[in-house]
Amino acid sequence: MAKYVITGEKTLKGRVKVGGNKNAILPLLASSLLTDEQVTFTNVPQISDAIVMCQLLERIGCKVRGIGTEKVVIEPRGVKNWQLPPDLVSKLRASILLMGPMLARFGKVSLRHPGGCIIGRRPVGTHFDALHQLGADIMTLETDYQGKAKNLTGTTIFLDEASVTATENALMAAVTAKGTTVIKNAACEPHVVDLTSCLIQMGANISGIGTNTLVIQGVAKLHGTTYAVRPDHIEVGTYATIAAVTGSDLVIEDVRPEDLHMIVLTLQRFGVSLTYEKSGKKTDLHVRKSQLHGVAKVNTGPWPAFPTDLMSVLLVLATQAQGVTLCHDWMYEGRMFFIEKLVTMGANIILCDPHRAVVFGHMHLRGKVMDSPDIRAGMALVVAALCAEGESEISRIEFVERGYANVTEKLRSLGAKITRSE
């Protein structure tokens, strides 16, 4: 088990470049199973979740080069095993994304109930309903899911929730299905756009990208491609928040403004000073020292609303803003349970119910010994430690590193005092 030791109240300065989108790389890696030709991904985030997904692909017969680097090359021709290794599936919630591609390739799939962060009830019924409408038969056993499909056939699918991963599973199953598939109430987050864009480069026929209705004309087969993963907008929002709570001046390099509309708007409502700056063909986000104030209410929601993956970090921002903020995350019952750790640091937060918390600021935080409960809460504790008085020790940071790459290196380059040890 590894830990971070952080000395807070350090003003940071400099430039930081975020990695590729964590939530995009996992379905992108899974999509390589839809072809026999080589697929290359660049700007791959160097996170443990991506490593586990690559290992899953290796274990079922893919040749994978560059695991743990920013360039991953997959040769999927040798895949013959439709039974996914349970030891790796248990580490990765996103292994459910292999169901669609495996059914499309083999007409069958077997995997254990996936693991991952425990932040609330995340049912997979929407996945199974969509795959069933395409012609698959999914059985839920005590420890496993078993799927079979003689012929996947296009149809009209209405998702009962705009689930990102269910949209992606249905999309990957549909691209080589016979006929036309229409997915209504589809998720349209940037990572879904990344997947659809990559599939089109591989020869898929998809329209409606970036909307809630996707139309897929099935094709006989896909071919290989090289695809660059888009920057992670959640990591951009995280480093912008770090700058805000530490009173720092930071430049976040090479961002996509179209992915940041609600994130930037929400931070600006808290008083965070943000401006875009052109750097050649790229765009940077400049965050300057700001006077923070609370806002009446922040809600998460499906894209393009404020993303649930940033709510944990936003709770820390609210502790440093003058006034009262109501934070509401409708999605996960366990998202806010980590706030008791912020309270031990000196935060004044009332948990109204599993989805709502009232945050009173500005509160002076003090360093504590804590452990990370999940990816996003763990990073929120890192953000809190950076602005807290004294030293904090955060253990179980393997959770953090599932979603954020090179945390210590990036923060040290900005002037933070942080060490990592086993």
Side-chain angles (χ1 to χ4, degrees):
M1 187 168 65
K3 66 180 180 181
Y4 294 143
V5 178
I6 300 171
T7 301
E9 295 189 309
K10 304 291 184 184
T11 302
L12 311 182
K13 189 172 180 63
R15 306 176 70 88
V16 63
K17 188 177 187 300
V18 303
N21 189 312
K22 177 256 186 192
N23 289 325
I25 188 56
L26 303 176
L28 286 170
L29 290 168
S31 73
S32 66
L33 293 174
L34 294 168
T35 180
D36 279 335
E37 299 179 13
Q38 179 177 294
V39 180
T40 301
F41 296 109
T42 60
N43 197 36
V44 175
Q46 296 167 283
I47 54 175
S48 59
D49 271 12
I51 291 172
V52 173
M53 183 64 90
C54 287
Q55 291 170 340
L56 269 167
L57 294 175
E58 271 194 321
R59 290 273 287 274
I60 62 174
C62 291
K63 292 182 180 179
V64 186
R65 303 195 305 273
I67 296 177
T69 72
E70 291 188 353
K71 182 180 179 180
V72 174
V73 181
I74 303 170
E75 296 180 16
R77 186 179 301 276
V79 176
K80 293 182 174 60
N81 192 352
W82 50 272
Q83 295 175 307
L84 302 176
D87 58 319
L88 293 176
V89 170
S90 66
K91 296 180 180 180
L92 185 64
R93 170 77 182 180
S95 55
I96 193 76
L97 287 165
L98 293 166
M99 290 196 79
M102 295 293 277
L103 287 168
R105 184 169 185 138
F106 293 111
K108 52 187 175 180
V109 62
S110 173
L111 76 159
R112 285 183 64 91
H113 300 164
C117 288
I118 307 300
I119 55 172
R121 186 173 58 88
R122 292 190 280 183
V124 292
T126 304
H127 294 251
F128 296 168
D129 288 346
L131 295 173
H132 176 73
Q133 290 181 67
L134 287 165
D137 181 22
I138 311 292
M139 292 187 297
T140 301
L141 306 180
E142 184 176 352
T143 59
D144 301 86
Y145 299 128
Q146 304 281 345
K148 294 182 180 179
K150 286 187 178 180
N151 293 293
L152 294 175
T153 305
T155 186
T156 297
I157 301 168
F158 180 82
L159 301 180
D160 61 358
E161 62 170 316
S163 164
V164 169
T165 49
T167 300
E168 292 165 341
N169 245 332
L171 185 61
M172 289 186 282
V175 288
T176 56
K178 184 178 180 180
T180 302
T181 299
V182 180
I183 305 175
K184 297 185 177 182
N185 196 30
C188 53
E189 275 78 356
H191 22 292
V192 179
V193 173
D194 244 11
L195 176 62
T196 52
S197 299
C198 179
L199 290 171
I200 288 171
Q201 281 190 199
M202 295 170 70
N205 186 342
I206 306 169
S207 59
I209 295 178
T211 75
N212 295 116
T213 301
L214 296 172
V215 180
I216 305 103
Q217 303 286 345
V219 297
K221 64 178 182 178
L222 301 185
H223 54 73
T225 192
T226 296
Y227 189 81
V229 184
R230 72 201 298 130
D232 194 322
H233 58 291
I234 302 299
E235 192 175 359
V236 172
T238 300
Y239 278 94
T241 302
I242 288 172
V245 300
T246 58
S248 301
D249 189 300
L250 299 183
V251 175
I252 306 169
E253 299 180 343
D254 192 13
V255 304
R256 288 200 178 191
E258 65 268 27
D259 294 348
L260 298 171
H261 293 312
M262 185 56 78
I263 294 172
V264 166
L265 177 60
T266 302
L267 293 178
Q268 286 175 332
R269 286 175 174 168
F270 275 93
V272 182
S273 174
L274 299 155
T275 54
Y276 289 114
E277 298 174 351
K278 295 298 292 184
S279 178
K281 294 183 179 180
K282 298 178 180 180
T283 301
D284 299 336
L285 182 64
H286 193 163
V287 189
R288 294 177 173 83
K289 184 175 180 179
S290 309
Q291 293 294 321
L292 303 178
H293 51 80
V295 301
K297 186 177 183 181
V298 179
N299 291 303
T300 64
W303 192 262
F306 190 78
T308 180
D309 282 347
L310 267 177
M311 178 52 80
S312 298
V313 166
L314 193 84
L315 283 161
V316 179
L317 177 65
T319 70
Q320 301 305 294
Q322 192 70 39
V324 182
T325 301
L326 173 62
C327 297
H328 179 205
D329 189 314
W330 66 275
M331 186 174 292
Y332 295 128
E333 294 86 352
R335 175 72 79 193
M336 295 189 176
F337 288 166
F338 84 102
I339 65 172
E340 64 185 45
K341 301 177 189 296
L342 298 179
V343 171
T344 67
M345 298 179 74
N348 185 357
I349 306 174
I350 297 174
L351 184 63
C352 306
D353 57 44
H355 296 278
R356 294 178 302 159
V358 177
V359 186
F360 298 86
H362 170 280
M363 298 304 297
H364 185 74
L365 303 184
R366 299 175 298 278
K368 291 290 180 180
V369 177
M370 302 168 285
D371 59 1
S372 170
D374 62 69
I375 297 174
R376 305 305 180 182
M379 193 63 191
L381 294 178
V382 171
V383 176
L386 289 167
C387 66
E389 176 187 359
E391 185 175 274
S392 296
E393 184 178 300
I394 305 170
S395 59
R396 298 176 69 199
I397 50 87
E398 293 86 356
F399 276 118
V400 177
E401 293 169 354
R402 284 183 50 207
Y404 296 87
N406 306 317
V407 173
T408 53
E409 292 85 348
K410 288 179 180 179
L411 288 174
R412 276 193 208 135
S413 73
L414 299 172
K417 188 174 182 182
I418 175 172
T419 59
R420 183 190 191 279
S421 63
E422 296 292 336

